[in-house]
Structure formats: structure tokens, C-alpha cells
Amino acid sequence: MNTSGHAAADVRDDAAGLHLTPFRGLRYVPERVGSLAAVTSPPYDVVVRPDGLLHLESADPHNIVRLILPQAITAGTRHRKAAVTLDRWLADGVLAPDPEPALYVYEQHGDGILQRGIIGALELSTPAEGVVLPHEDVMPHVVEDRAALMRTTAANLEPLLLTYVGDGDGAGEVIERTVQRPPLLATTTEDGFHHRLWAVTDPAEQAAVSAELGRHQALIADGHHRWATYLRLREEHPAPGPWNYGLVLLIDTARYPLRVRAIHRLLNRLPVADALAALDGAFRVRRIEGPLSTALEALAEATADGNAFLLAGDGSFHLVDRPDPALLDRTIRTDRPEAWRTLDATVLHATLLEHVWHIPDAPEDIAYIHDTEAAVDQAERRGGTAVLMHPVREDVVRDLARQGVTMPRKSTSFGPKPATGLVLRSLALD
């Protein structure tokens, strides 16, 4: 089922492959919470709307969002609040460590997709080592915030999503055997996804997983900022030790292909009328009649022929495509592969944001939103412009990552993402 056509390139000839180790997972004690579904959350960077945060906080007093997105006036207070909350939940028996180190098989099923993978503590490596490949740039202020939270709580609160292209032995066989057993937990979250988790504690099965993963490299599908955070904290805590590892979920996309979706931009201070006026002669602009679904279909058709974007925020949709080639030549750097130069995200950031709209790359000016309807809604409420994007193919992402070329930040959204709160890693237990 490998859709990328690059299985062989994921196999490493040296010993510097993935090194995944068991750990004693921290998990919610079902008797101490309303339900497992009520204490889970999407990853921290998906919970961007205040109403979504409040909804999660009100779902259960022990919802994991109180740890990953603690609320207080100052950053330092927020992080200390998360640490105090974690300690209190451990003392009260809301969270408890599993009795022995384990790798965890994790399954998600819903919306027509089945995803299975292995959760463990992965030995950290820099991009130059070619073991874990990033494909996007990161924002320093986000890394600093996540580092302060992890440093204060001494915990990995949510797993990163990494992919590899397996060769059919070892990990895959262990997963398929494990899912035939009764799970540690099973729950259905409000998005309709079913989640199940198993502990793999048998040394022979752990060794089989380790042997296969040791032959592969992985692509960071989701979690670039948290991986950069892991590396920063490793520098503060010299190896060997628990800070030399980070919590990850590894998915073999030869068996279980992920979906790749776009992440949209919300330009808070740029009205749609001003955005369109600045495009005169630089891009073709067409108004698209109909609902959002019709506009997204038009975007997909236009993207097949080149760079295209959909602007929204004034109650209408505007398809922007066919950029002036001379403008692209002037604004896009030439020391990168053609596949990078022609990315929609590259053209958006290098040409539109920097040279046409003069939008600073700052949080108060640009917000990154995964949900298409939410992006349009917020643009209309704020009087800004939503720039809707078309997703990038996974094989393009992987090929650029292998060349050591990073895409503009927030270029892709792989999924489904693991639910946060099913298993945590305390560095004090390692």
C-alpha cells in the first residue's frame, strides 16, 4: 500500500536508525475521571479558538488541556500552574504510572481511515544526522514556550507524529498481533474517532520493533516545534538521561497512509479589499460564486496548473492564480530545488506576504488555522483575510526533507493526529 514509491530510500545502510525505547506511561485512572473521552484534547496547536479551549476545560475538570495550554496572565505563571496541576493529579491518583516500561500500540479509526502505530520514547537526533527529518521551519517564540512548559513539568505531555516507510517485518507484525488482544483503554472522542491503546511489555516483541525501526529514518509529520523543543532541552541536560529521548508516535505509511491537509493563513490586519487591490497585475483574480465547497473545488483545479490561493473574509471567495513569472523570478530565492521554489507556501510567503502585501511574519499579523471553516469565520469576524491553501503531496514533502530542505512553516497538516491525554511520559520515571 505504499503510495509514495520511496520505500527503499527509507532503509538505512548504517546503524544510525531510529532507536525507540519503552517507558512507564502516565495514564488517566478511569475511575477518577468522568470519561476518557472527556479528558482528551487535540494537540496544543490545533486548539486555537478560545471557545474550543473553554469547551475542553468545561468537559472535565481534569482535561489534559489544563496541562498543555494552562491559562494565566504571564508565561511563567502558566507553566508553573501546569506543573502544580500535574503534581496534584498524580498525588490524587487521577494520573498513575503503568507498572512496567512498555511500548504502546495506538489505533485510531474514523472518517473512513484506520491508523495504527507505536508510541515510545525516541532517542533524539539532529537533522544533520539524517535519522529524523524535519520538513518545516519553526517559530522561535513557540519553541521557547514549549521548552519552558516541558522544563517546568519535566514531562512529555503529548506525542509527536512521525512517519516511516516500513519493510513489513518486526513492528508491523507486532502491531497486528497486539490489536487482537483486549486493549488497555478504548474510547470515542466527540469528533467520532475511536481510540484504542495496548501496552507491549514482552521483551521479544519490543526487540522485534526495535530491530525494524533501527533500519529506518522518519519524517516529522506533526510536531516540528516540539521536536525542536526536545533538542533544546537535551542541550540543557547532557546525555545520557531521560532528556535524550522524546515521546513520539511512529506510523508506517506503507501500511497506514496518512492524510495530508493544508494549514490556512489568517491575515489579521489586512482587509480583503486591500489584499485584492495590491494584486493588480501580479496574479489573476476571479470571484467564485457558491458555497465554500465549490470554492475549494475551484482551488484544487487551479492548483493542478500552478500556484493558486483562495481569499475569503468579505463574504465572498476570490481565486488568486497565474502569478506573473517575472515577479516570481524577482522574489523567490534560486538556491533551492525547483520543487521548493514552486510550492504554494513558498510563493505565498516569499512573494505575496513579503513583497506584495508587506505582512510581517509575526503572531499578531499571521495566524495559522487548520480548519477551513474556522479560518473563513475568523477572517469575517476580524475584518481580515483568510488565505486558503491546497495540500501538498506527501512524496513531495518526504523528498524535500531527504534533501535537507525545509518548507515554509505550517505548510502541511498530516493526520489524523494522535489524541492528547491517552498516554504521557514523565521524565522523573525514566
Side-chain angles (χ1 to χ4, degrees):
M1 291 176 58
N2 174 26
T3 59
S4 69
H6 293 286
D10 267 359
V11 179
R12 299 184 61 82
D13 295 327
D14 51 40
L18 299 165
H19 181 211
L20 192 71
T21 64
F23 69 103
R24 290 180 65 195
L26 285 183
R27 296 190 296 109
Y28 280 99
V29 177
E31 295 78 14
R32 298 303 308 274
V33 298
S35 72
L36 289 175
V39 296
T40 64
S41 164
Y44 80 97
D45 57 341
V46 179
V47 187
V48 293
R49 296 174 57 164
D51 54 344
L53 178 64
L54 293 173
H55 172 71
L56 291 167
E57 288 184 328
S58 62
D60 189 283
H62 302 108
N63 188 283
I64 193 68
V65 78
R66 296 180 185 274
L67 299 184
I68 63 172
L69 289 173
Q71 299 301 294
I73 296 176
T74 67
T77 304
R78 289 198 302 271
H79 304 141
R80 288 192 295 274
K81 182 177 181 180
V84 169
T85 300
L86 177 58
D87 289 343
R88 184 175 68 249
W89 289 358
L90 287 167
D92 293 345
V94 175
L95 287 168
D98 282 334
E100 57 184 318
L103 298 175
Y104 295 87
V105 170
Y106 175 50
E107 177 189 273
Q108 289 172 279
H109 186 204
D111 194 25
I113 191 169
L114 173 66
Q115 178 173 287
R116 290 172 177 157
I118 298 278
I119 295 175
L122 183 67
E123 185 174 16
L124 305 181
S125 60
T126 63
E129 295 174 72
V131 178
V132 175
L133 306 175
H135 69 269
E136 291 183 358
D137 294 329
V138 296
M139 294 175 275
H141 74 280
V142 177
V143 175
E144 179 55 44
D145 178 74
R146 290 295 99 184
L149 179 63
M150 287 189 204
R151 188 185 298 118
T152 307
T153 59
N156 299 156
L157 300 173
E158 46 187 339
L160 283 63
L161 177 61
L162 274 59
T163 72
Y164 69 102
V165 180
D167 49 28
D169 298 325
E173 294 177 352
V174 170
I175 289 173
E176 300 310 317
R177 286 197 302 269
T178 301
V179 297
Q180 303 305 315
R181 307 167 188 161
L184 285 177
L185 64 85
T187 190
T188 301
T189 46
E190 63 181 2
D191 58 5
F193 270 84
H194 307 284
H195 308 262
R196 296 196 294 172
L197 189 77
W198 295 261
V200 177
T201 57
D202 179 76
E205 291 190 323
Q206 292 178 353
V209 172
S210 179
E212 180 186 356
L213 294 179
R215 299 192 295 269
H216 295 288
Q217 61 185 181
L219 176 74
I220 300 177
D222 185 68
H224 285 81
H225 289 89
R226 283 167 286 165
W227 185 260
T229 298
Y230 287 166
L231 293 176
R232 174 179 294 190
L233 294 175
R234 182 181 69 167
E235 294 177 358
E236 299 175 7
H237 302 81
W243 295 94
N244 195 42
Y245 296 82
L247 185 63
V248 304
L249 165 64
L250 278 159
I251 302 290
D252 175 4
T253 53
R255 287 176 179 258
Y256 299 104
L258 274 67
R259 290 177 176 169
V260 187
R261 291 177 171 154
I263 302 177
H264 310 295
R265 275 63 169 162
L266 173 59
L267 310 182
N268 292 306
R269 303 180 183 182
L270 181 68
V272 173
D274 293 349
L276 294 174
L279 291 174
D280 183 33
F283 286 74
R284 182 177 70 169
V285 179
R286 290 177 290 162
R287 181 172 176 145
I288 304 298
E289 303 294 339
L292 176 59
S293 58
T294 300
L296 290 174
E297 289 175 3
L299 174 63
E301 292 176 2
T303 305
D305 297 324
N307 301 115
F309 312 92
L310 195 65
L311 306 189
D314 62 351
S316 301
F317 299 105
H318 308 272
L319 183 64
V320 175
D321 65 353
R322 297 190 182 178
D324 176 9
L327 175 64
L328 298 183
D329 289 340
R330 291 196 310 271
T331 56
I332 295 178
R333 55 193 296 180
T334 59
D335 60 343
R336 297 291 179 91
E338 181 69 12
W340 182 90
R341 290 170 50 80
T342 55
L343 288 170
D344 286 338
T346 298
V347 172
L348 173 61
H349 283 262
T351 304
L352 281 171
L353 293 177
E354 184 172 348
H355 290 278
V356 176
W357 291 329
H358 306 290
I359 301 294
D361 190 2
E364 57 269 23
D365 288 285
I366 305 176
Y368 297 85
I369 301 179
H370 293 73
D371 183 82
T372 308
E373 293 182 357
V376 174
D377 177 65
Q378 290 196 42
E380 292 179 348
R381 287 192 288 109
R382 298 182 187 183
T385 297
V387 182
L388 305 183
M389 310 279 287
H390 191 68
V392 183
R393 299 194 318 272
E394 181 182 356
D395 61 313
V396 173
V397 176
R398 192 177 295 275
D399 285 346
L400 285 172
R402 288 202 187 98
Q403 297 176 60
V405 177
T406 54
M407 300 164 63
R409 62 180 64 106
K410 300 294 183 181
S411 293
T412 59
S413 176
F414 285 83
K417 305 179 190 302
T420 299
L422 296 182
V423 61
L424 291 62
R425 174 177 175 251
S426 169
L427 280 75
L429 293 174
D430 284 11

